[in-house]
Amino acid sequence: MRILVVEDEEGIARFVKQGLVEESYAVDVAYDGKKGLELAMSGEYDLLLLDWMLPGLSGIEICRQFRKEYSTPVIFLTAKDTVDETIFGLQTGANDYIKKPFHFDELLERVRVQLRPKETSTTIILSAGDIELDQKSHKVTKSGRDVELTLKEFALLEYLLVNKGNVCRRTRIIESVWDIHFEYNTGVIDVNINSLRNKLQLQNNELIKTVRGIGYIIND
Ligand code: CA
């Protein structure tokens, strides 16, 4: 899952990014409205976190323009807290808002609510075969036994499971699991896939299959 944070206060931006990265999201940051809109309109994100007051272009304006093309969840970060302004924020197409100052746990909970698959809003367990991944507790089990994964291995497995039954292209995997500043080298995917297969004790092409020249697919 890839998140765009548009926030001109560097301290807040850094704090939010670090926290989300530790939760295995891929995170890009823009420090002004113009750059924020440009990145948002690339369509590469699963969620936007927008500050309200930004140099160049306000969060509201970014949200308005973004909503013309995308239904991706948008959460506002705002120091403004009067009811009218909140309603205004939601009327621009935002899905939720968080008042500054906030605890990271609150932000994380709201992010998770927005990113939960809509049709199974209470389900947070993803599975394939005898492998289960709990998005909330970040636990992975194989036949009920805990498997210890690195953050990137977890994010990679989560991405494959969210897209179960569909071929995941290498470029999409890189974009979703690593951030834009990551040096483009898809070899890192193979390294993490191999490590995942080892830790999950999968035989060659069991559950996680290689699609030659394209990417990977996970199936039951
Ligand atoms: Ca600001």
Side-chain angles (χ1 to χ4, degrees), residues 193-211:
I193 288 279
N194 284 338
S195 174
L196 261 182
R197 283 174 171 155
N198 282 335
K199 289 184 178 180
L200 295 170
Q201 298 175 325
L202 299 175
Q203 305 303 316
N204 250 357
N205 268 353
E206 179 193 354
L207 290 180
I208 300 174
K209 294 187 173 60
T210 303
V211 183

Side-chain angles (χ1 to χ4, degrees), residues 177-193:
V177 179
W178 283 269
D179 67 35
I180 48 169
H181 302 298
F182 188 78
E183 204 171 311
Y184 191 81
N185 170 14
T186 54
V188 72
I189 300 176
D190 305 321
V191 170
N192 279 274
I193 288 279

Side-chain angles (χ1 to χ4, degrees), residues 62-78:
I62 294 174
C63 190
R64 274 206 198 108
Q65 297 198 34
F66 183 70
R67 269 290 167 267
K68 289 177 188 167
E69 301 211 16
Y70 300 103
S71 59
T72 306
V74 173
I75 300 177
F76 272 115
L77 302 173
T78 177

Side-chain angles (χ1 to χ4, degrees), residues 7-9 51-55 100:
E7 167 65 78
D8 60 317
E9 288 167 69
D51 183 24
W52 188 286
M53 303 287 280
L54 289 162
K100 294 179 190 172

Side-chain angles (χ1 to χ4, degrees), residues 2 24-25 31 52 71 123 129 175:
R2 190 164 171 188
S24 76
Y25 294 104
Y31 297 101
W52 188 286
S71 59
T123 307
E175 286 165 359

